[in-house]
Amino acid sequence: MLGPNLLMWAAAVIAAVWKFSQLIRLPHDRGLRVVTLCTVLVAVALSAQLAVSIPGLAGMFPGHSPKLLQNVLLTFFFALLIVLLRSTLLPNVAVWRSYAEIALASLASFGLMLAFAATSVEWRGASYPDTSQHPGVLAFYLIGNLYLSYATARGAWLCRTSARQTYSGARQSLTVAALGLTACLLGTHLPRVLSTTGRLLLGTDPVPGTAHWTPPLLAIGISVFFLGIGYPGLRTGITTTRLWITMRRQHRQLRPLWAALHQHFPTIALFTPPPPRREAWQLRHMRLRYYRRIIECRDGLVCLSPYLPEPIHPDHTPAHQAQLIHTALTNTTPTHTTPPSIIAAPATTDTHADTHQLLTLAHEYTQLTNPHTTNTTTP
């Protein structure tokens, strides 16, 4: 179990760091503060679970306290989740209802601490499959699963209701999250409540085998829940990454043409350009640097237009225009007095058409000046 626990812990820590970075940029976003606190609670709870899983590390904590810490933090995670969902669904709801959720989580946490303290030392921190018939351990898991039954039921209802009232991309995400919470409720927490209640009060297990078949259902429910919650961010991250890769590739494709134009017309640079080696390692502000290079290339082509050996005609291919540019860069005086030609003129006024023509011209110019360079043809 150490491998899955380590993977979940790493994912939770990464999510917490990511949300912290967002919170630094938007410190007054109340919803983001709640989400960040939720991710931190999960990260700390999974850290406690990981501490129990690592051999030799659990003995460093007094009385198997990580197990108690994990369950207490999870109660507050669900309380904050309910508060966040309710504030999104009902923004004008009374504030005292949010405090009521926190108070209920505090009451459940107090019950967990009492049950933990009343359990003998050798049974503290026992996992659910090892509960057996010990009253203290049964009470501990009864309180925890009773609250989680309420929290998952309430959270599933809020997620489903919010999904019905939204028409954005979050609708599918909230629906999947509701299914995950429902699976946790019906597949794990509710059967465990019935099982621990029967064993604690009646001495018999009305729902046999919960120690064996509920953990897989809990893992499935949690996975589905976090898949629903994380899907919009994951989708945005994938789209942003693909866009960044495309812009970086095209930014590099424009460099030979830009460098030639900048050498003859240094004033086209909006800012002092970095050396090529330093530019290769610049990863931030890719969108800004990409569009700045396009603008600078266009300005350079306008400055170069009077030096062309012949005017540009619509039937000139990009390869022919690249040859004219290469010839014009060797001239020191204008060659004609006609109005400047539009080099690499786009077929339409669309921005993508303009960028496509410029990238095609840059590709042909690179092939002309350095035939041994392998470049990907611009789509």
Side-chain angles (χ1 to χ4, degrees):
M1 293 297 292
L2 180 58
N5 289 341
L6 187 59
L7 290 176
M8 288 190 296
W9 174 82
V13 171
I14 292 174
V17 173
W18 177 38
K19 288 302 176 183
F20 255 119
S21 65
Q22 292 181 326
L23 189 61
I24 293 175
R25 296 193 297 267
L26 300 171
H28 302 294
D29 192 327
R30 184 178 179 182
L32 183 59
R33 289 201 299 265
V34 175
V35 173
T36 302
L37 183 56
C38 286
T39 58
V40 170
L41 289 177
V42 173
V44 176
L46 291 178
S47 298
Q49 181 182 4
L50 186 64
V52 177
S53 303
I54 298 178
L57 189 59
M60 300 174 57
F61 297 91
H64 302 282
S65 56
K67 192 67 175 180
L68 175 63
L69 179 64
Q70 174 190 356
N71 284 272
V72 169
L73 291 177
L74 287 178
T75 59
F76 283 102
F77 161 73
F78 276 102
L80 291 175
L81 179 64
I82 293 173
V83 170
L84 178 63
L85 291 172
R86 177 180 285 169
S87 64
T88 304
L89 181 62
L90 304 170
N92 298 323
V93 73
V95 179
W96 67 267
R97 294 189 178 181
S98 299
Y99 289 116
E101 293 293 341
I102 302 299
L104 183 59
S106 301
L107 181 63
S109 300
F110 182 70
L112 288 172
M113 289 185 283
L114 286 180
F116 188 83
T119 306
S120 56
V121 178
E122 63 271 14
W123 284 99
R124 289 179 183 175
S127 61
Y128 182 79
D130 300 329
T131 52
S132 184
Q133 297 295 117
H134 194 280
V137 180
L138 290 174
F140 180 83
Y141 282 102
L142 172 60
I143 295 172
N145 283 286
L146 188 62
Y147 174 78
L148 290 177
S149 295
Y150 160 77
T152 50
R154 183 68 172 163
W157 181 83
L158 290 172
C159 285
R160 191 71 186 102
T161 305
S162 299
R164 291 173 179 172
Q165 297 186 10
T166 183
Y167 295 96
S168 64
R171 182 171 187 174
Q172 184 178 6
S173 173
L174 290 169
T175 302
V176 174
L179 291 176
L181 290 175
T182 304
C184 291
L185 169 65
L186 300 179
T188 301
H189 300 306
L190 195 56
R192 288 185 177 183
V193 167
L194 298 176
S195 176
T196 52
T197 301
R199 284 185 283 171
L200 188 62
L201 300 180
L202 305 176
T204 59
D205 190 352
V207 187
T210 54
H212 303 288
W213 55 266
T214 56
L217 295 178
L218 178 63
I220 293 174
I222 292 175
S223 301
V224 172
F225 169 73
F226 279 108
L227 176 63
I229 293 297
Y231 174 71
L234 180 62
R235 181 179 58 184
T236 302
I238 293 175
T239 303
T240 303
T241 302
R242 292 178 60 185
L243 182 62
W244 184 91
I245 293 174
T246 300
M247 287 185 172
R248 180 174 174 83
R249 183 181 69 251
Q250 295 178 354
H251 183 269
R252 293 170 64 89
Q253 290 175 352
L254 289 172
R255 180 169 181 82
L257 176 63
W258 172 87
L261 294 172
H262 178 262
Q263 182 179 0
H264 289 76
F265 308 103
T267 57
I268 65 172
L270 301 178
F271 299 96
T272 303
R277 291 186 178 180
R278 181 183 174 186
E279 181 184 79
W281 290 98
Q282 287 183 337
L283 304 178
R284 301 183 60 188
H285 309 297
M286 192 68 249
R287 183 183 182 91
L288 174 63
R289 293 191 291 117
Y290 169 70
Y291 285 112
R292 189 172 68 198
R293 174 152 293 181
I294 291 177
I295 293 173
E296 291 173 354
C297 285
R298 278 297 176 189
D299 290 344
L301 292 176
V302 171
C303 296
L304 184 67
S305 179
Y307 298 88
L308 293 174
E310 62 180 85
I312 297 293
H313 295 291
D315 57 343
H316 283 170
T317 64
H320 184 61
Q321 294 186 46
Q323 181 65 55
L324 295 177
I325 291 174
H326 185 264
T327 304
L329 289 173
T330 61
N331 294 334
T332 58
T333 57
T335 57
H336 55 84
T337 58
T338 58
S341 301
I342 300 178
I343 306 174
T348 64
T349 57
D350 184 67
T351 306
H352 296 289
D354 178 72
T355 305
H356 174 78
Q357 287 295 111
L358 196 58
L359 287 168
T360 304
L361 178 64
H363 171 75
E364 296 295 339
Y365 180 81
T366 303
Q367 294 297 312
L368 177 66
T369 56
N370 191 2
H372 302 290
T373 300
T374 302
N375 249 0
T376 304
T377 305
T378 306

